Amino acid sequence: MSTISNSKKRSSVKLVINLLSVSSLIMPAVSFAQPVTSGVQVQISSEDYKADRIRQECNSARDKISEAERAIGTACRKAGLGSGSNCVAKAESCADTIGGEEFSTTDAIGTVLGLPINSSLGSACPQMNGRDYYDEIKRLNQEVKDTEKDIADLGQEKADIEKEFNEKIADLQEALTEAQQELEKTKEDLDAEEREQLASFQQAQVSNKEQLRAKGSELISLRSARTAALRNKATKMLELTAETSKYTCNGEYLKAAKEYGNVSGTSSKNHISKAKAQKAAALDAYQKCLNRFQQARIKVSEDTQAEIEALDDKIRSAESSMDEINDTLNLASTQLQQMKDSTAKKKTAAEKKVTDLMTLTQQKMTAAQQELQTRLQALATRQASLQKALTTASNELMTLKNSPAPKKSAEYTADEASSEISGELAKINGVIGSSDPSCNLDSALASAKVKKRSRDSSKTKGVRGN
């Protein structure tokens, strides 16, 4: 504070010296020449000349003071600090307190400005002009609103991410549950199929055994028929032996000869011819009889052979069927084991399918969990950043709102106005200091500053002394 005051005093001294230098240049030199007026030489005294000069200096000084006071009034108006000595005192207090070296805390600055203890400096002096102040409030309000919306959007985004994760996990669990249910159903179906196959197998075994018995009975019948056919052939062939045929054919011969009647023993031509015809007819009947026997034997042999061949075919077919049935029966245990192995293989394949799905589902769940953590961590980072930005903006807004609000029309800050006011006061003090005391120059604004500085100096000394 004292440093700023000393600096300002040095500036005032420089201004006084400059003003004195300018005055000496424009001040007319003292002359004791006797000007001629209306042909009469009148001698002007040095006292009159001095009084006239002082009067001109005083008028010029008052004009300069008025001009400086108008400039001060303009600065006060632009800063919205009121007018007159109150404006000067307030501007000077704001500038001195903010720039002072001996007051390092807000409470000390507030005390100098006449504020209660623990009150902020913002409650005393506007630190911004009107346009910047309200633009900053508008910007900070919008920033707070936008940041709050971004934080709310993050909350919704988090809810959406968690919902998406839960739905994905639910879908995976549902798919796994369905697969397990399908496995149980597959096992049940395989067990039912195995039971049906076993029942069908057992029924087939029973049927095969019945067929085997039937084929056995058929084979016995066929073999009996074959034996009967051979016996029948033998019986018929006994009836068609040479002796039987000769005996029968002799009868045929005699019967044919008898049908020609008796032939006389005369040697007449007719009788000889008739005897020859009789003999020929008898021989022909005999030969035909033999031929019939021969054809009958052939027919019996052929018929029997055909019957035997047919029976042999049936016997071979029956034996083949019996062999096949026996093979089937002998392979029953193997087929049964194959059937059980097939069912077990199908069950194993179905179980492996579900096991693979369980492994894949677990991997997908783990990946989904990791993705969720990563996305939530990113959201937390963004939320922390936004929360920090919101706190900063809210604090700035609260500080700004708790600080004195300048008038919307204020073009200067108190510090800027104080700078101009200090310069104009320095001019006024310089003019007063360099002017003749007889001018009785005075400035309420300058006096107010001097008085305030005197009070501040005594208060500062008191503080130091304590």
Side-chain angles (χ1 to χ4, degrees), residues 330-349:
N330 292 331
L331 292 175
S333 58
T334 303
Q335 292 174 344
L336 181 62
Q337 187 60 45
Q338 289 176 347
M339 181 177 62
K340 292 181 177 180
D341 291 344
S342 176
T343 301
K345 186 177 180 180
K346 290 178 180 178
K347 285 183 179 181
T348 302

Side-chain angles (χ1 to χ4, degrees), residues 273-344:
S273 176
K274 185 176 179 181
K276 288 181 178 180
Q278 183 182 23
K279 186 178 181 179
L283 290 173
D284 181 63
Y286 181 78
Q287 189 62 40
K288 286 180 178 179
C289 178
L290 289 177
N291 288 337
R292 284 197 304 273
F293 270 91
Q294 183 64 28
Q295 290 299 320
R297 282 194 296 271
I298 292 173
K299 185 176 184 303
V300 169
S301 296
E302 290 178 349
D303 289 344
T304 302
Q305 184 63 32
E307 185 179 2
I308 293 299
E309 289 178 356
L311 290 171
D312 287 342
D313 287 340
K314 290 180 179 180
I315 290 171
R316 285 192 296 271
S317 177
E319 290 175 343
S320 177
S321 296
M322 290 181 69
D323 291 339
E324 291 176 357
I325 294 172
N326 282 320
D327 290 340
T328 300
L329 292 173
N330 292 331
L331 292 175
S333 58
T334 303
Q335 292 174 344
L336 181 62
Q337 187 60 45
Q338 289 176 347
M339 181 177 62
K340 292 181 177 180
D341 291 344
S342 176
T343 301

Side-chain angles (χ1 to χ4, degrees), residues 38-78:
S38 301
V40 181
Q41 184 174 6
V42 180
Q43 184 174 2
I44 303 175
S45 65
S46 60
E47 288 80 5
D48 293 337
Y49 179 80
K50 182 179 180 180
D52 184 61
R53 180 182 57 79
I54 290 173
R55 183 173 58 255
Q56 291 179 6
E57 282 185 15
C58 291
N59 290 335
S60 176
R62 290 187 183 95
D63 290 341
K64 291 178 181 179
I65 290 173
S66 297
E67 182 180 353
E69 288 179 343
R70 284 194 297 273
I72 290 172
T74 300
C76 287
R77 177 179 54 80
K78 288 185 177 181

